[in-house]
Amino acid sequence: MDNTFLSPRRQFLRRCGLGVGSLALADMLAGPSANAGSATHFPARAEHVIHIFLNGGMSQVDTFDPKPELTRRSGQMLPFDNLQTERKTGVALASPFQFQQHGECGMPISDLFPRVAECADELAVIRSMYAELPSHEMMLMLMNTGHSRLVRPSFGSWLTWGMGSENQNLPGFVALCPGGLPVAGAGNWQSAFLPGSYQGTLVDTAQTDPTKLIRHIRNERMSKSDQLAQLEILQALNARHLAERPREADLEARIQSFDLAYRMQMEATDAFDTNQEPEHVLRLYGDGIQNRQLLLARRLVERGVRFVQVWHGAGQPWDSHNNIKDAHRTVASQCDQGIAGLIKDLKQRGLLSKTLILCSGEFGRTPSVELGQNGSGASQGRDHNHWGFSLWMAGGGIKGGTIYGATDEFGFKAVENPVSVHDLHATMLHLLGFDHERLTYRYAGRDYRLTDLSGHVVDDVIASLPLHAPLD
């Protein structure tokens, strides 16, 4: 083989006679990390995001929004005439879980999350979230992309496009999901009209062997030098192809994906090997898939990954239409210790202040009991509820120990300081250093943004800046 093919990538591409175009391609292949963070509109409070997605829909009245009146009216019809849900519902269903106040802030949290409750002073709970429809697919798209019906880039894609990545050897956006895909699949981490290199990379965390978490991460048939030679030939041919088709987004993304796949061999298996952690850290997070993938999330942001989404599992594990007492208890017990461990671990490592944690579902659940489709047969479960639900954030400039907004006396509808998904996204982008109205991408003749045509920053959940800190 000609030794030309073993030369450094940029030198090789220049020797192929691609001129200025080759230099542009070389810079593109180097990734955005060189300018990471330089494009923010103002100093960022957070540099990374971990989104803990309790897909299926966590019940607000059973977790972070206690409703004594719901308990008093249990078994009675609630006075709501026009709040339609996906399925028929009946009488009020009192929460089977007990609430206690926690932390110096006295935040009420149910016994579903005893470990998370230990971190109450780090949490900002928004009780007045609302969405558009009681549909998993549409509300997953709204929560992830800002639009429930049309194909749009996901939050992680917007963030990595705007802020760049800190690590050239790992994807800037990683989606962790054990055992398969959530509802709507890869649409949840799509890049849409943004360059394809900003799409999320799915990792099936049901695997415990780090060499199997990402398929084909090791090439057993070729040495590293032979792989590099092969990559350089491939990239040279692709560069020639691209020179004849400038600004071809899919081709550019493919070229970048080949380069990243090669570089991931250097670091990916190390990042996903939780066995490298000391015993006291493993004990902090606890056993099980959910807890292990929360530890993986910390290892990834520690290595510069910009956005990590942690899904509870394939389908919709939190979709408790039947027997919510046992169903919610099961899924909460699978992640409670890991979520608390993540908050504590990030804090003791000095990473919590620059890592924004969001814990949410796509909507909440009804305070009334779900009925069979013919209106009979109460299930002791709860239907989807988009009218009002809870989520929480922590770290990354969040004002801990905060409760914002309120639902009605039964926990059905947001009535005090309602917060839309666009408001949530605007607030998160603000903490990451972006004005959501200015973070735009021109496509098909118009400027698009994550928050579409609305959205306001929820200032009351943002911690005050120290006196010496620069103002926005």
Side-chain angles (χ1 to χ4, degrees):
M1 179 179 292
D2 189 329
N3 290 333
T4 300
F5 296 122
L6 297 179
S7 63
R9 182 174 65 239
R10 290 182 177 83
Q11 180 182 355
F12 172 75
L13 292 172
R14 284 197 294 271
R15 288 183 181 180
C16 286
L18 299 179
V20 176
S22 72
L23 296 176
L25 176 63
D27 287 339
M28 181 188 73
L29 292 177
S33 60
N35 296 317
S38 63
T40 58
H41 299 139
F42 41 78
R45 308 285 291 275
E47 299 176 9
H48 310 274
V49 176
I50 296 175
H51 183 185
I52 303 167
F53 213 127
L54 307 182
N55 45 314
M58 173 181 67
S59 169
Q60 68 282 1
V61 297
D62 294 306
T63 52
F64 296 96
D65 192 6
K67 295 296 178 182
E69 187 63 21
L70 183 64
T71 301
R72 285 191 287 269
R73 298 280 289 271
S74 183
Q76 302 176 29
M77 293 299 297
L78 298 177
F80 294 107
D81 296 327
N82 298 313
L83 294 184
Q84 294 182 351
T85 56
E86 189 170 59
R87 295 168 174 81
K88 295 179 180 180
T89 61
V91 297
L93 177 62
S95 176
F97 308 106
Q98 301 300 312
F99 283 80
Q100 289 186 346
Q101 293 182 328
H102 295 273
E104 294 183 7
C105 63
M107 181 179 291
I109 300 175
S110 84
D111 58 13
L112 272 177
F113 288 110
R115 300 294 185 90
V116 173
E118 297 172 2
C119 306
D121 291 327
E122 305 293 345
L123 310 183
V125 174
I126 299 179
R127 289 179 172 175
S128 53
M129 291 297 306
Y130 69 94
E132 297 175 356
L133 294 166
S135 162
H136 288 293
E137 292 85 352
M138 290 183 175
M139 292 309 95
L140 282 165
M141 291 298 94
L142 178 66
M143 185 64 73
N144 282 310
T145 73
H147 206 291
S148 60
R149 295 172 179 84
L150 301 178
V151 176
R152 293 288 187 268
S154 60
F155 191 105
S157 296
W158 278 108
L159 180 60
T160 51
W161 173 73
M163 192 176 261
S165 179
E166 294 180 342
N167 190 328
Q168 295 187 43
N169 298 329
L170 290 171
F173 175 14
V174 176
L176 306 176
C177 187
L181 296 174
V183 169
N188 290 290
W189 47 85
Q190 65 194 334
S191 60
F193 49 71
L194 291 179
S197 57
Y198 298 107
Q199 177 167 303
T201 297
L202 173 66
V203 177
D204 184 352
T205 49
Q207 296 284 350
T208 56
D209 184 344
T211 63
K212 296 179 180 179
L213 279 167
I214 302 175
R215 296 180 63 188
H216 311 304
I217 193 62
R218 288 280 185 266
N219 190 326
E220 304 298 337
R221 296 178 291 106
M222 297 178 65
S223 68
K224 287 288 183 64
S225 61
D226 287 343
Q227 288 182 67
L228 178 58
Q230 185 184 65
L231 175 67
E232 289 177 336
I233 294 172
L234 180 63
Q235 299 294 55
L237 294 174
N238 280 331
R240 290 175 176 174
H241 194 57
L242 181 62
E244 299 173 0
R245 298 161 181 82
R247 304 182 66 81
E248 183 66 40
D250 290 344
L251 180 55
E252 290 177 352
R254 187 177 303 132
I255 293 172
Q256 286 187 310
S257 69
F258 290 145
D259 194 68
L260 176 61
Y262 174 77
R263 288 185 275 109
M264 280 178 65
Q265 295 180 86
M266 307 175 196
E267 193 164 342
T269 52
D270 175 73
F272 287 99
D273 187 2
T274 58
N275 291 323
Q276 296 181 14
E277 295 289 339
E279 184 62 31
H280 73 276
V281 171
L282 297 175
R283 287 197 305 269
L284 176 65
Y285 283 84
D287 298 326
I289 293 174
Q290 299 303 321
N291 296 331
R292 186 175 70 252
Q293 70 172 355
L294 287 159
L295 174 54
L296 286 174
R298 189 224 82 204
R299 290 178 63 84
L300 289 172
V301 299
E302 192 175 38
R303 287 162 171 78
V305 174
R306 190 67 71 187
F307 190 96
V308 182
Q309 195 163 48
V310 184
W311 295 83
H312 197 97
Q316 48 230 27
W318 282 79
D319 196 23
S320 301
H321 288 285
N322 299 287
N323 189 8
I324 197 165
K325 179 179 180 180
D326 291 343
H328 257 36
R329 179 74 73 187
T330 297
V331 287
S333 67
Q334 293 169 352
C335 62
D336 175 48
Q337 183 173 346
I339 294 173
L342 174 66
I343 295 172
K344 295 173 182 178
D345 196 13
L346 288 172
K347 187 173 184 178
Q348 68 185 15
R349 292 171 186 270
L351 291 173
L352 184 61
S353 62
K354 59 181 181 180
T355 304
L356 177 61
I357 303 174
L358 169 66
C359 182
S360 79
E362 60 269 38
F363 42 49
R365 310 206 75 81
T366 56
S368 48
V369 68
E370 182 173 326
L371 302 176
Q373 293 302 297
N374 62 358
S376 63
S379 62
Q380 297 302 301
R382 303 189 190 277
D383 192 21
H384 311 159
N385 180 29
H386 63 291
W387 299 103
F389 59 99
S390 297
L391 55 74
W392 59 260
M393 292 184 283
I398 287 295
K399 184 192 299 182
T402 300
I403 294 174
Y404 183 82
T407 51
D408 57 56
E409 59 185 340
F410 308 112
F412 211 145
K413 183 178 181 179
V415 295
E416 179 184 320
N417 297 323
V419 177
S420 70
V421 174
H422 287 152
D423 296 334
L424 172 68
H425 288 165
T427 304
M428 295 174 67
L429 287 176
H430 179 84
L431 290 166
L432 291 155
F434 293 103
D435 179 342
H436 71 103
E437 294 183 348
R438 294 165 56 197
L439 185 68
T440 62
Y441 188 89
R442 193 159 189 83
Y443 173 73
R446 63 160 282 192
D447 291 331
Y448 288 86
R449 70 188 207 211
L450 174 63
T451 53
D452 198 29
L453 299 176
S454 62
H456 300 280
V457 175
V458 183
D459 292 313
D460 288 345
V461 301
I462 297 176
S464 299
L465 284 166
L467 293 177
H468 64 274
L471 296 177
D472 295 348

